Amino acid sequence: MHVLIIGAGLAGLTCGRILDSLGVRVTLVEASDGIGGRVRSDYADGFTFDRGFQVLFEAYPAARRHLDLDALHLRRFDPGAIICLAGKRFVLTDPLRDQAAALDAALTPIIPPLDKLRVLLLAQRLRRQLIDEVLAGDDETTLAYLRRSGFSEQTINHFFRPFYGGIFLDRSLRTSAKCFRFDFKMLSEGAAALPAHGMGAIAGQLGDALLERGLIRLHTPVAELITNNGRVTGARLASGEELFADAVVVATPAPEAARLSSLPMPQGALQTITLYFGGSQPVYRGRKIALNAAPDALINNAQMISNVAPEYAPTGRHLLSATVLGASPLSDDDLFRAALADLRRMFAGDADALAALEGYQPLRVYRVAYAQFPQAPGIHPLLPDNRSGRPGLYFAGEFTEASSLNAAMISGEKCAAAVIEERQASRF
């Protein structure tokens, strides 16, 4: 049996790796110059630049199944966050996992005491539940769920909007509450982390062996699928070359999957911009993310990457990243200037931080036009199945599950299982 996989992101790599381990002949074709899809890293002048700020939740079930977490040498963020608002900084944390910051967090006035208790109770409840229980029941927006759970508007605006806005890429909190509960559970059970050598190391673990064996063809865009007597039997490349297989897996982002298959896919695209700055001094100490709680924020969150993962910067240098939600009409230069101005507002009153920022220089900008698909309440049961409904055609991509690294790997697993099931049923 030969399986052609179109796309070498995490879903396609996971699917190909599983099939290859089961003795199935696989060929992966990738339009770009490397594997990993949106999970890639660039290296220049001693710095590591992930293509968009991302983290790995080490509690992800799929990550634990498919990745050697120890070999990634994970560098962990401390739980909680630094909330920046009106020239002041407020520390939040999980007192059970970050005792060093527990007292400051207990005394901070940015979150009412009852809401701090609600956060602890929610974490305890979700830790006790299985993932299927967390995802069960009717759906609603994250905002409606938080309000129904009793959280104040102060806590919603100052913490949940910027923190989960950075995860969902939408500060409105219109994202499905099931996504919120799942991510909250993951963060309460494990750390958010960066591989010491960049997020691209995740793709490397999944796909480097396939690449070295010549099973992945880079710079190989696909023009269209080939169909014979109603069955998808291969793909015609942009070069005109035709590749044939017993099964074809489309493992691309949803818009490309829709183009190739002409089947319905999740609509819309959430965009984001990551700006990298380099300096000689850290803007702040510690390994927490800094949230911009200002209602007119340009930067949603900033993080001293080199505090968390020193390997991301050369000796004597520091790396700061800043996340802007959505697109921006500003040029790169103007966007860097506006972001630095916003960083100064975030750290107003902190003389050391402001002095450090004076020495920071722009390094890189990544504008991610398709970072996630919008996940409105109720969308998940409507997502495509791994089986397309067309003979010979399968899907492996986050668009069959949810918009996350975990979901991409799960989709790859399920797709591989579907292909194997058909092989056993048809014995081809």
Side-chain angles (χ1 to χ4, degrees):
M1 182 184 190
H2 178 215
V3 178
L4 174 64
I5 301 174
I6 303 171
L10 296 196
L13 293 173
T14 302
C15 180
R17 189 169 182 245
I18 292 172
L19 292 173
D20 178 67
S21 72
L22 296 173
V24 175
R25 185 163 69 95
V26 297
T27 300
L28 289 84
V29 293
E30 166 60 41
S32 74
D33 61 353
I35 64 173
R38 283 163 280 167
V39 187
R40 293 183 62 181
S41 304
D42 295 318
Y43 309 93
D45 301 321
F47 288 100
T48 296
F49 304 105
D50 293 330
R51 295 190 178 185
F53 174 62
Q54 302 178 71
V55 297
L56 175 68
F57 291 175
E58 63 179 355
Y60 274 157
R64 293 183 173 185
R65 289 193 294 271
H66 294 287
L67 300 176
D68 182 345
L69 297 181
D70 289 338
L72 289 175
H73 304 290
L74 294 178
R75 307 299 186 235
R76 295 165 179 84
F77 284 83
D78 286 339
I82 301 168
I83 298 178
C84 305
L85 181 66
K88 296 181 180 180
R89 267 70 51 201
F90 307 90
V91 176
L92 294 180
T93 195
D94 180 345
L96 301 178
R97 294 190 294 153
D98 186 16
Q99 296 182 1
L103 181 59
D104 287 342
L107 297 176
T108 184
I110 195 73
I111 302 298
L114 282 178
D115 281 350
K116 295 174 187 175
L117 178 60
R118 290 185 181 99
V119 168
L120 290 174
L121 292 175
L122 178 60
Q124 291 176 352
R125 177 166 62 84
L126 292 177
R127 283 177 190 145
R128 290 194 299 267
Q129 291 182 331
L130 300 175
I131 290 176
D132 286 347
E133 295 174 313
V134 170
L135 302 178
D138 295 335
D139 206 356
E140 60 188 323
T141 66
T142 296
L143 180 60
Y145 175 77
L146 292 171
R147 286 172 172 166
R148 188 168 57 80
S149 299
F151 287 100
S152 68
E153 294 300 310
Q154 178 180 339
T155 298
I156 290 171
N157 291 333
H158 294 163
F159 173 66
F160 286 112
R161 287 192 190 278
F163 189 86
Y164 283 91
I167 295 174
F168 301 148
L169 307 183
D170 181 4
R171 283 170 74 121
S172 74
L173 300 179
R174 292 174 294 184
T175 303
S176 161
K178 294 186 177 183
C179 295
F180 167 79
R181 290 196 296 269
F182 175 78
D183 287 343
F184 196 102
K185 177 179 174 65
M186 293 296 99
L187 285 170
S188 69
E189 294 180 349
L194 297 170
H197 301 292
M199 290 292 288
I202 295 171
Q205 273 201 8
L206 295 173
D208 277 352
L210 299 175
L211 190 62
E212 290 168 3
R213 290 166 53 207
L215 302 181
I216 302 176
R217 294 176 54 175
L218 303 177
H219 303 285
T220 308
V222 171
E224 60 184 347
L225 300 179
I226 298 172
T227 301
N228 188 5
N229 295 324
R231 183 179 183 87
V232 176
T233 57
R236 183 171 294 106
L237 306 182
S239 65
E241 180 185 356
E242 295 182 341
L243 299 178
F244 294 94
D246 299 299
V248 176
V249 175
V250 173
T252 66
E256 178 68 358
R259 182 188 74 81
L260 289 171
S261 69
S262 299
L263 293 173
M265 293 288 157
Q267 298 295 305
L270 295 175
Q271 302 178 323
T272 185
I273 302 170
T274 297
L275 302 158
Y276 286 104
F277 299 87
S280 59
Q281 297 294 327
V283 176
Y284 64 90
R285 304 290 175 178
R287 299 190 300 271
K288 293 187 185 296
I289 190 171
L291 304 177
N292 189 354
D296 60 346
L298 171 66
I299 293 172
N300 182 75
N301 51 278
Q303 34 283 322
M304 284 302 313
I305 298 293
S306 50
N307 286 2
V308 179
E311 297 87 348
Y312 270 60
T315 302
R317 298 283 286 166
H318 295 272
L319 183 65
L320 171 72
S321 79
T323 301
V324 176
L325 303 183
S328 174
L330 297 176
S331 68
D332 289 355
D333 288 344
D334 287 344
L335 189 56
F336 274 119
R337 281 192 286 269
L340 274 172
D342 214 22
L343 286 165
R344 294 187 188 101
R345 286 191 289 270
M346 289 174 65
F347 291 94
D350 185 333
D352 290 339
L354 294 177
L357 280 171
E358 288 302 313
Y360 270 67
Q361 298 296 320
L363 296 178
R364 291 242 177 157
V365 58
Y366 291 92
R367 299 176 185 256
V368 185
Y370 189 92
Q372 296 181 21
F373 63 86
Q375 298 178 91
I379 190 175
H380 299 98
L382 306 177
L383 295 177
D385 191 76
N386 296 103
R387 296 173 173 84
S388 72
R390 295 172 61 185
L393 179 62
Y394 300 83
F395 294 126
E398 62 174 17
F399 58 81
T400 71
E401 293 287 328
S403 201
S404 71
L405 306 185
N406 184 69
M409 287 186 279
I410 288 176
S411 182
E413 288 178 334
K414 290 183 175 180
C415 184
V419 171
I420 292 297
E421 184 178 329
E422 179 172 339
R423 181 181 73 165
Q424 293 172 339
S426 62
R427 297 179 182 176
F428 63 79

